[in-house]
Amino acid sequence: MSTDPTTVPADLDDAALAAELVHRAGALAAAMRAEGLTGARKTSVSDVVTAADHAAEELVVSVLARLRPDDGIVGEEGAEAPSRSGRTWVIDPVDGTYNFLAGLAYWCSALALRDDTGVVLGAVHQPVTGERWLGGRDLPTSLGGAPLEPLADLPLEQVCLATYLHPTRLADPALREPWLAACEGAATVRMLGSGSCDLAAVAAGRVGVWAQPLVPAWDWLPGEALVLGAGGRTAQVDVRGTTWSVAGRPTAVEQVLSALTR
């Protein structure tokens, strides 16, 4: 897989372009990690950035600027361009950077396309496993090009809940209490450190539901598209002044929303 942005074919449709870009971004980041990287703190010891984050974002931006010049761009690492088309690409070049830098497998490159009515499509590539998800509003979610089975509906008590709450947030009852209420009803809970990997796992039926507060667009939209394309439900709700994002099997989502807002 070439990481040269100029070799991306100009005739790809949006879905194929998204799949190609996350593959290339992930390959570039993985190659840079293999050569050795150091991280810099953003907001905390667990919120870090590396040269690979920046290089992978620059790769995606350069291709989009060439092939979709009228579309807007928003990137986690600061890339920004206004939209003249009403469409915007949202980039997370390395989601799960703490895992990535520590040598863990649970990280990915993620990309979403949104328009004035919401998310259109999302793509997630997990380089260590070689798995690539693609799906969205009018695009049934696939894994490695093979369509996924639509998500069967299950209640919260029968499924795994994936979530995240930074330890420093536990002191805030407005966050801690809803979070504990949601976790208490699940069969089991996982905190793995990559929202897009978590949501891809939800779309694939490996995790039943995902719930997290304070989620930026690049951690939400790629995976939201995958869950919608797999027949799941997604929602964002205000809880005590904070927006929570929830996605997964419909009944489990409804139960999480009830727990968060009770």
Side-chain angles (χ1 to χ4, degrees), residues 113-121 137 221 224:
L113 175 63
R114 69 184 182 198
D115 62 16
D116 293 337
T117 61
V119 67
V120 177
L121 61 85
R137 181 191 298 161
L221 292 175
E224 181 195 20

Side-chain angles (χ1 to χ4, degrees), residues 59-133:
L59 184 155
V60 175
V61 169
S62 67
V63 174
L64 291 175
R66 178 167 60 92
L67 300 184
R68 300 292 190 273
D70 291 330
D71 292 352
I73 291 173
V74 175
E76 180 181 10
E77 306 312 331
E80 188 172 1
S83 175
R84 295 184 293 272
S85 64
R87 300 164 13 124
T88 297
W89 296 86
V90 181
I91 309 164
D92 196 342
V94 178
D95 182 39
T97 303
Y98 184 89
N99 293 346
F100 169 76
L101 189 59
L104 297 170
Y106 206 74
W107 64 275
C108 67
S109 292
L111 182 63
L113 175 63
R114 69 184 182 198
D115 62 16
D116 293 337
T117 61
V119 67
V120 177
L121 61 85
V124 170
H125 177 57
Q126 199 169 344
V128 177
T129 63
E131 294 180 311
R132 181 169 51 176
W133 290 261

